[in-house]
Amino acid sequence: MFEEAQKAQELDHEETAEFVLELIQRIIVHHGLWFAEAKHQMGMEKALELLHTVTKKSYAIQMKHLAALLGFEMVGTVPEPLLKMAPEELKKLKERLAKNWLVNDGVWFQAIEFSESMNDAKRCNDSCWGQFSPYEASAIKKMLNLGEQPGLKGLKRALGFRVYESINEQSIVEESEESFVFQMNKCRVQNARNRKGLDDYPCKSGGLVEYTYFARAIDSRITTECIGCPPDDHPAEWFCAWRFSLKP
């Protein structure tokens, strides 16, 4: 592909289609780089504020032009073809996108592991969670209009809208007005390893970053305690468990 063309206008039909997909990738990466630089220059809090503003405005402009070009209507902020999908098919699409997110995560991990080392892959993984968890929490807070300090009630609701919720099985165990325990009962990654006869992936270091940063971004008063996470021993009913507390 692209062996003879000197510029994009010279691509044939199939090559142009492939180039269209490449342009989508460039938009995604460029969007992420803008956010990363805003964070570097102005800090996470301001960068997240800018990200929400930019995403809303950019999405509206892009979808307006795509709708006109491809011949579909927008119903509010949602493309009409999505609303016309059967409920079960739309649910399958949601789950497939969540699985694609996990696939992308795994491919990045293995690319660094095989190119460099397991230690480098885990280090990058943990650092990535340090960036993604606050973003995901912020996005969910905006989506659900949870407010600045929604407490444990807000955290419980937010945990139900993470990407993981669509592909894993999780539960909440009530403890008191000041704390609750979150359990990951079925984990797609760990279940796949178990089916292959492999030991649990030791994800505790990443989990400590992931859950601590997520809870803190939902409400800065919430503290996180790891009850157990691989390589820790754990009961059959969960792979990892986390206690979230908020002192009055």
Side-chain angles (χ1 to χ4, degrees), residues 5 20 39 73 82 120 146 153 163 176 221 237:
V20 165
K39 174 182 174 294
E73 298 293 328
L82 287 178
D120 285 325
L146 292 179
K153 181 178 180 181
V163 182
S176 69
R221 302 170 298 168
E237 60 265 25

Side-chain angles (χ1 to χ4, degrees), residues 224-236:
T224 304
E225 174 192 352
C226 180
I227 296 174
C229 184
D232 298 340
D233 291 333
H234 60 84

Side-chain angles (χ1 to χ4, degrees), residues 47-57 135 138-139 142:
L48 286 171
E49 178 185 329
L50 288 166
L51 178 65
H52 293 308
T53 300
V54 169
T55 299
K56 183 177 181 180
K57 184 174 183 178
Y135 158 69
S138 178
K142 289 282 186 181

Side-chain angles (χ1 to χ4, degrees), residues 120-139:
D120 285 325
K122 286 179 63 64
R123 181 165 51 83
C124 290
N125 176 68
D126 296 357
S127 295
C128 185
W129 275 114
Q131 311 301 316
F132 184 74
S133 280
Y135 158 69
E136 188 175 31
S138 178

Side-chain angles (χ1 to χ4, degrees), residues 136-174:
E136 188 175 31
S138 178
I140 292 171
K141 283 177 74 171
K142 289 282 186 181
M143 182 177 68
L144 301 180
N145 194 25
L146 292 179
E148 187 59 33
Q149 292 186 323
L152 296 178
K153 181 178 180 181
L155 177 58
K156 291 175 190 176
R157 192 175 178 207
L159 287 166
F161 286 87
R162 298 186 67 215
V163 182
Y164 270 135
E165 191 277 337
S166 294
I167 51 180
N168 291 345
E169 290 186 17
Q170 56 192 47
S171 61
I172 288 176
V173 179
E174 301 288 354

